[in-house]
Amino acid sequence: MPIPDTYLARLVVPVVATALVAVLVRLIGGRTEAARLASIAVPVGLIAGYAVQPGWPWAPPTEAIDKLAWLALGGGLLGLAIDLGTRGRLLAILAALVWPAVGIAWLGGPDLLNGHGSNLYRFGEVSLVLGVLLVRLAQLSGDGLQGPVTASVVAAGIACLGLVSGEPGLASIGLPLAACGLGWLACNWPRRRFGFGAAGLLGGSGVALVLAGNAALLTPVNGTLVLVALTALVLQPVVPAMARRVPALASPALRPLATAVVVAVPSVVAILIAWLAPGLVPPLYE
């Protein structure tokens, strides 16, 4: 397959796979089960999109970017077990709090967890921040769209930030993950059909945040700009405030689109700085 076709397939396949799996869960499990389990479609879509890459490592991988696909698989299965075994959100919230630490520890390995004081401090600091942000995404996911849309925009922002910073590997996960968000939106908009459970939270949104942590800690990408992109979760409450002033934005059809536009602003700012003035912002970590 020619290279341009491979890139296109890695964007198209996640969209199609995510939508198809969500619909299949609905057909097989019925409306009640689909409301709880359909979000497994997001990690499945990500893995399908990443598998398009020639030579995908089905054996346990060693590269950090390759490990993210396996992290999506593990997060999806763990989340599916939570969705099947519990009715409340408490266990999902607790899992969300620690999941970024698990992912970053696996990606960084001995190089990150080598007992060196500064490395451990950075790991703890980033893991705590990302854990809190993932809990916030869990809270936003109650309507089935706000959380996934926000996570997809963040994933796309980190992917593009990697491209302009000379780290295209970040895009190999970030762009397919953002495409999964489009697939989820396609089968859940304008009318909400599926809830976004722990399978999607850990295997999709969690992977997006671990990707951001990987960019900040384990690549030359400016960690400060990664942090700027993550402020999307701080801006998200602007959307309800706008909806109170502009009632049309409160409609189920426009609310997710307004969310995507608002939360994309920090990523656009970070990408422009990295592209046009890379030395303008000091790095988060030397």
Side-chain angles (χ1 to χ4, degrees):
M1 184 183 291
I3 294 297
D5 290 348
T6 302
Y7 289 149
L8 180 62
R10 292 180 69 180
L11 295 177
V12 174
V13 168
V15 175
V16 176
T18 301
L20 282 178
V21 171
V23 171
L24 282 175
V25 172
R26 171 66 175 86
L27 292 176
I28 295 172
R31 180 175 300 178
T32 301
E33 291 302 315
R36 297 169 54 215
L37 307 179
S39 65
I40 189 64
V42 173
V44 171
L46 173 59
I47 293 168
Y50 195 63
V52 172
Q53 176 180 339
W56 192 74
W58 294 104
T62 56
E63 296 296 326
I65 293 300
D66 295 328
K67 289 180 179 181
L68 283 164
W70 290 88
L71 186 69
L73 175 61
L77 293 176
L78 175 60
L80 188 62
I82 293 173
D83 290 333
L84 286 170
T86 62
R87 295 288 177 177
R89 301 283 292 177
L90 178 59
L91 190 55
I93 294 294
L94 293 176
L97 190 59
V98 300
W99 189 245
V102 173
I104 294 172
W106 188 41
L107 266 60
D111 292 337
L112 186 61
L113 305 176
N114 56 12
H116 192 280
S118 61
N119 284 344
L120 288 177
Y121 172 79
R122 293 172 182 178
F123 166 73
E125 182 180 54
V126 171
S127 297
L128 178 60
V129 170
L130 295 181
V132 171
L133 292 180
L134 189 54
V135 169
R136 175 58 179 159
L137 283 174
Q139 295 170 340
L140 291 175
S141 300
D143 72 339
L145 276 182
Q146 298 300 307
V149 166
T150 302
S152 298
V153 172
V154 169
I158 298 299
C160 294
L161 189 58
L163 288 175
V164 300
S165 301
E167 288 291 326
L170 296 174
S172 65
I173 285 289
L175 292 181
L177 187 52
C180 291
L182 288 177
W184 182 256
L185 182 65
C187 61
N188 217 23
W189 179 89
R191 185 170 65 86
R192 309 294 188 269
R193 297 177 178 85
F194 311 112
F196 197 73
L201 179 69
L202 301 180
S205 302
V207 174
L209 294 189
V210 173
L211 177 70
N214 172 73
L217 287 174
L218 303 172
T219 75
V221 174
N222 189 327
T224 304
L225 295 180
V226 173
L227 188 60
V228 170
L230 290 174
T231 59
L233 279 85
V234 179
L235 283 184
Q236 194 280 335
V238 170
V239 179
M242 292 170 56
R244 287 192 291 270
R245 292 180 175 272
V246 184
L249 295 180
S251 70
L254 292 182
R255 182 77 172 265
L257 305 181
T259 297
V261 171
V262 169
V263 300
V265 171
S267 289
V268 171
V269 171
I271 292 164
L272 289 175
I273 292 175
W275 182 28
L276 300 175
L280 180 64
V281 178
L284 186 62
Y285 299 120
E286 295 293 345

